Amino acid sequence: WEKLFESENSPFLDINLTFYFRYLDTLSNKSKERLEEYLSNTLVHKRNRFIFSYTTYTPQAIDEDSLIQFLRNDLGVITFSLPTLNDRKDDIASLTSIILGDLMPKYRKQVLGLMPEALDLLKNFNWRYNIDQLQRVIEQVLILTDDYYIDAKKVEKVLENENRHNIGIKSSLLHGNKTLK
Protein backbone atom coordinates (compact mmCIF):
# COMPACT_ATOMS: atom_id res chain seq x y z
CA TRP A 1 0.00 0.00 0.00
CA GLU A 2 2.80 2.41 0.85
CA LYS A 3 4.43 2.00 -2.57
CA LEU A 4 1.12 2.34 -4.36
CA PHE A 5 -0.17 5.35 -2.51
CA GLU A 6 2.85 7.32 -1.34
CA SER A 7 5.94 6.44 -3.36
CA GLU A 8 7.37 8.66 -6.07
CA ASN A 9 7.75 5.46 -8.11
CA SER A 10 4.16 4.37 -7.70
CA PRO A 11 2.81 2.67 -10.83
CA PHE A 12 -0.35 4.71 -10.24
CA LEU A 13 1.57 7.76 -11.48
CA ASP A 14 2.03 6.23 -14.93
CA ILE A 15 -0.57 6.40 -17.66
CA ASN A 16 -2.38 3.80 -19.79
CA LEU A 17 -1.75 0.91 -17.42
CA THR A 18 -4.23 -1.70 -16.28
CA PHE A 19 -4.39 -2.60 -12.60
CA TYR A 20 -6.15 -5.73 -11.41
CA PHE A 21 -7.32 -5.87 -7.80
CA ARG A 22 -8.24 -9.48 -7.15
CA TYR A 23 -10.43 -10.49 -4.21
CA LEU A 24 -11.40 -6.95 -3.27
CA ASP A 25 -13.68 -8.50 -0.67
CA THR A 26 -10.68 -9.63 1.39
CA LEU A 27 -9.39 -6.12 2.01
CA SER A 28 -9.78 -4.74 5.49
CA ASN A 29 -12.17 -1.85 5.98
CA LYS A 30 -9.21 0.45 6.58
CA SER A 31 -7.60 -0.59 3.28
CA LYS A 32 -10.89 -0.17 1.44
CA GLU A 33 -11.27 3.34 2.88
CA ARG A 34 -7.72 4.21 1.87
CA LEU A 35 -8.24 2.94 -1.68
CA GLU A 36 -11.52 4.83 -1.98
CA GLU A 37 -9.91 8.04 -0.72
CA TYR A 38 -6.99 7.68 -3.13
CA LEU A 39 -9.23 6.98 -6.12
CA SER A 40 -11.50 9.93 -5.38
CA ASN A 41 -8.69 12.42 -4.67
CA THR A 42 -6.18 11.60 -7.42
CA LEU A 43 -8.33 10.74 -10.44
CA VAL A 44 -5.87 7.93 -11.20
CA HIS A 45 -8.76 6.07 -12.80
CA LYS A 46 -8.85 8.74 -15.54
CA ARG A 47 -5.25 7.91 -16.57
CA ASN A 48 -5.40 4.14 -16.18
CA ARG A 49 -7.77 1.20 -16.30
CA PHE A 50 -8.84 -0.74 -13.24
CA ILE A 51 -10.33 -4.18 -12.92
CA PHE A 52 -11.72 -5.27 -9.57
CA SER A 53 -12.91 -8.74 -8.66
CA TYR A 54 -15.12 -9.47 -5.70
CA THR A 55 -16.13 -12.95 -4.56
CA THR A 56 -19.31 -13.45 -2.62
CA TYR A 57 -22.05 -15.99 -2.27
CA THR A 58 -24.66 -13.48 -1.14
CA PRO A 59 -25.76 -10.51 -3.24
CA GLN A 60 -26.43 -8.39 -0.16
CA ALA A 61 -22.68 -8.47 0.65
CA ILE A 62 -22.05 -6.38 -2.45
CA ASP A 63 -24.88 -3.98 -1.57
CA GLU A 64 -23.45 -3.51 1.93
CA ASP A 65 -19.86 -2.90 0.85
CA SER A 66 -19.14 0.85 0.81
CA LEU A 67 -16.16 0.52 -1.55
CA ILE A 68 -18.27 -1.34 -4.10
CA GLN A 69 -20.97 1.32 -3.79
CA PHE A 70 -18.33 4.03 -4.31
CA LEU A 71 -16.97 2.27 -7.39
CA ARG A 72 -20.45 1.82 -8.83
CA ASN A 73 -21.94 5.20 -8.01
CA ASP A 74 -19.04 7.63 -7.97
CA LEU A 75 -16.71 6.12 -10.55
CA GLY A 76 -19.40 4.51 -12.69
CA VAL A 77 -17.68 1.15 -13.01
CA ILE A 78 -19.36 -1.52 -15.06
CA THR A 79 -20.29 -4.52 -12.96
CA PHE A 80 -21.29 -7.99 -13.95
CA SER A 81 -21.87 -11.21 -12.09
CA LEU A 82 -20.68 -14.62 -13.09
CA PRO A 83 -22.98 -17.54 -12.38
CA THR A 84 -21.79 -20.15 -9.92
CA LEU A 85 -20.78 -23.59 -11.09
CA ASN A 86 -23.97 -24.90 -9.48
CA ASP A 87 -25.93 -22.65 -11.83
CA ARG A 88 -24.16 -24.04 -14.89
CA LYS A 89 -23.85 -27.76 -14.30
CA ASP A 90 -24.05 -28.44 -18.06
CA ASP A 91 -20.60 -26.87 -18.38
CA ILE A 92 -18.98 -29.38 -16.02
CA ALA A 93 -18.20 -31.87 -18.80
CA SER A 94 -16.45 -29.22 -20.91
CA LEU A 95 -14.63 -27.70 -17.95
CA THR A 96 -13.47 -31.12 -16.83
CA SER A 97 -12.04 -31.83 -20.28
CA ILE A 98 -10.17 -28.53 -20.26
CA ILE A 99 -8.81 -29.12 -16.76
CA LEU A 100 -7.73 -32.66 -17.63
CA GLY A 101 -6.00 -31.39 -20.76
CA ASP A 102 -4.06 -28.89 -18.67
CA LEU A 103 -3.13 -31.39 -15.95
CA MET A 104 -2.21 -34.51 -17.93
CA PRO A 105 1.25 -33.29 -19.00
CA LYS A 106 2.05 -32.30 -15.43
CA TYR A 107 1.32 -35.81 -14.13
CA ARG A 108 2.38 -37.64 -17.31
CA LYS A 109 -0.96 -39.38 -17.58
CA GLN A 110 -3.12 -40.13 -20.57
CA VAL A 111 -6.76 -40.05 -19.58
CA LEU A 112 -9.37 -39.96 -22.32
CA GLY A 113 -12.21 -38.78 -20.11
CA LEU A 114 -14.72 -39.74 -17.46
CA MET A 115 -17.10 -42.65 -17.32
CA PRO A 116 -20.73 -41.44 -17.51
CA GLU A 117 -21.35 -42.34 -13.85
CA ALA A 118 -18.31 -40.32 -12.80
CA LEU A 119 -19.54 -37.31 -14.73
CA ASP A 120 -22.98 -37.67 -13.13
CA LEU A 121 -21.37 -37.54 -9.69
CA LEU A 122 -19.61 -34.31 -10.61
CA LYS A 123 -22.81 -32.80 -11.98
CA ASN A 124 -24.77 -33.67 -8.85
CA PHE A 125 -22.17 -32.34 -6.40
CA ASN A 126 -22.72 -29.01 -4.61
CA TRP A 127 -19.78 -26.89 -5.80
CA ARG A 128 -19.38 -24.47 -2.94
CA TYR A 129 -16.06 -23.11 -4.19
CA ASN A 130 -16.90 -23.18 -7.90
CA ILE A 131 -14.28 -23.83 -10.55
CA ASP A 132 -11.37 -23.70 -8.11
CA GLN A 133 -12.93 -26.61 -6.25
CA LEU A 134 -13.67 -28.49 -9.49
CA GLN A 135 -10.07 -28.07 -10.56
CA ARG A 136 -8.81 -29.38 -7.22
CA VAL A 137 -11.15 -32.38 -7.41
CA ILE A 138 -10.16 -33.23 -10.98
CA GLU A 139 -6.48 -32.98 -10.07
CA GLN A 140 -6.93 -35.34 -7.13
CA VAL A 141 -8.94 -37.78 -9.24
CA LEU A 142 -6.30 -37.70 -11.97
CA ILE A 143 -3.58 -38.50 -9.46
CA LEU A 144 -5.56 -41.55 -8.30
CA THR A 145 -6.28 -42.76 -11.84
CA ASP A 146 -4.12 -45.23 -13.74
CA ASP A 147 -6.69 -46.07 -16.42
CA TYR A 148 -7.72 -44.36 -19.63
CA TYR A 149 -11.07 -43.39 -18.10
CA ILE A 150 -11.85 -41.96 -14.68
CA ASP A 151 -14.37 -44.17 -12.94
CA ALA A 152 -17.11 -43.28 -10.46
CA LYS A 153 -15.34 -44.92 -7.49
CA LYS A 154 -12.41 -42.53 -7.66
CA VAL A 155 -14.64 -39.49 -8.12
CA GLU A 156 -16.84 -40.62 -5.24
CA LYS A 157 -13.80 -41.04 -2.99
CA VAL A 158 -12.50 -37.54 -3.72
CA LEU A 159 -15.95 -35.96 -3.39
CA GLU A 160 -16.49 -37.67 -0.03
CA ASN A 161 -13.22 -36.16 1.12
CA GLU A 162 -14.40 -32.74 -0.11
CA ASN A 163 -17.60 -33.07 1.91
CA ARG A 164 -15.72 -34.24 4.99
CA HIS A 165 -13.24 -31.37 4.64
CA ASN A 166 -16.02 -28.76 4.33
CA ILE A 167 -17.89 -30.14 7.35
CA GLY A 168 -14.67 -30.30 9.39
CA ILE A 169 -13.79 -26.70 8.63
CA LYS A 170 -17.26 -25.46 9.43
CA SER A 171 -17.54 -27.25 12.75
CA SER A 172 -14.01 -26.54 14.00
CA LEU A 173 -13.92 -22.83 13.14
CA LEU A 174 -17.33 -21.67 14.26
CA HIS A 175 -17.10 -22.32 17.97
CA GLY A 176 -17.33 -18.98 19.73
CA ASN A 177 -16.10 -20.38 23.04
CA LYS A 178 -12.64 -21.37 21.73
CA THR A 179 -9.54 -19.19 21.62
CA LEU A 180 -8.06 -18.13 18.30
CA LYS A 181 -5.15 -20.47 18.95
Side-chain angles (χ1 to χ4, degrees), residues 13 33 43 50 55 73-74 92-93 99 102 105 116 127 140 150 154 159 165 167 178:
L13 298 176
E33 288 170 8
L43 302 177
F50 285 83
T55 303
N73 300 325
D74 294 16
I92 289 178
I99 294 167
D102 289 345
W127 297 101
Q140 291 173 10
I150 297 171
K154 291 185 179 65
L159 292 179
H165 179 69
I167 291 169
K178 291 187 175 182

Side-chain angles (χ1 to χ4, degrees), residues 29-73:
N29 287 335
K30 183 177 179 180
S31 294
K32 287 179 183 180
E33 288 170 8
R34 189 161 185 199
L35 179 59
E36 180 179 333
E37 181 181 340
Y38 188 85
L39 290 171
S40 64
N41 291 335
T42 63
L43 302 177
V44 65
H45 61 283
K46 301 282 187 183
R47 300 185 304 271
N48 297 290
R49 292 167 301 281
F50 285 83
I51 300 171
F52 301 99
S53 73
Y54 192 101
T55 303
T56 182
Y57 301 103
T58 59
Q60 68 262 21
I62 292 174
D63 294 335
E64 295 170 359
D65 191 305
S66 63
L67 178 58
I68 296 297
Q69 295 309 310
F70 165 76
L71 294 172
R72 278 182 171 172
N73 300 325

Side-chain angles (χ1 to χ4, degrees), residues 6-145:
E6 296 176 15
S7 171
E8 294 176 358
N9 298 324
S10 172
F12 282 167
L13 298 176
D14 291 335
I15 59 170
N16 294 324
L17 296 179
T18 302
F19 297 96
Y20 176 39
F21 283 81
R22 188 173 184 189
Y23 302 124
L24 200 60
D25 51 294
T26 62
L27 288 178
S28 69
N29 287 335
K30 183 177 179 180
S31 294
K32 287 179 183 180
E33 288 170 8
R34 189 161 185 199
L35 179 59
E36 180 179 333
E37 181 181 340
Y38 188 85
L39 290 171
S40 64
N41 291 335
T42 63
L43 302 177
V44 65
H45 61 283
K46 301 282 187 183
R47 300 185 304 271
N48 297 290
R49 292 167 301 281
F50 285 83
I51 300 171
F52 301 99
S53 73
Y54 192 101
T55 303
T56 182
Y57 301 103
T58 59
Q60 68 262 21
I62 292 174
D63 294 335
E64 295 170 359
D65 191 305
S66 63
L67 178 58
I68 296 297
Q69 295 309 310
F70 165 76
L71 294 172
R72 278 182 171 172
N73 300 325
D74 294 16
L75 298 188
V77 299
I78 299 169
T79 60
F80 60 93
S81 299
L82 298 176
T84 66
L85 189 55
N86 289 323
D87 294 334
R88 37 187 272 230
K89 299 248 181 174
D90 290 339
D91 292 343
I92 289 178
S94 301
L95 291 168
T96 299
S97 294
I98 293 168
I99 294 167
L100 281 172
D102 289 345
L103 291 174
M104 284 190 292
K106 178 180 177 180
Y107 292 103
R108 296 188 173 115
K109 301 222 178 184
Q110 293 186 358
V111 174
L112 299 175
L114 288 94
M115 300 296 288
E117 302 83 18
L119 185 57
D120 287 342
L121 286 170
L122 293 175
K123 286 183 176 181
N124 292 321
F125 187 73
N126 181 22
W127 297 101
R128 183 172 180 194
Y129 299 106
N130 294 304
I131 293 175
D132 291 338
Q133 187 178 23
L134 176 64
Q135 187 165 356
R136 183 177 61 243
V137 165
I138 297 303
E139 186 167 9
Q140 291 173 10
V141 170
L142 181 64
I143 290 169
L144 296 174
T145 300

Side-chain angles (χ1 to χ4, degrees), residues 129-179:
Y129 299 106
N130 294 304
I131 293 175
D132 291 338
Q133 187 178 23
L134 176 64
Q135 187 165 356
R136 183 177 61 243
V137 165
I138 297 303
E139 186 167 9
Q140 291 173 10
V141 170
L142 181 64
I143 290 169
L144 296 174
T145 300
D146 291 323
D147 299 323
Y148 289 113
Y149 288 94
I150 297 171
D151 63 41
K153 285 184 182 180
K154 291 185 179 65
V155 171
E156 189 172 31
K157 181 179 181 180
V158 172
L159 292 179
E160 283 176 8
N161 190 41
E162 283 291 309
N163 280 332
R164 226 185 339 254
H165 179 69
N166 289 341
I167 291 169
I169 288 174
K170 194 183 268 186
S171 64
S172 66
L173 290 180
L174 297 179
H175 292 293
N177 59 350
K178 291 187 175 182
T179 66

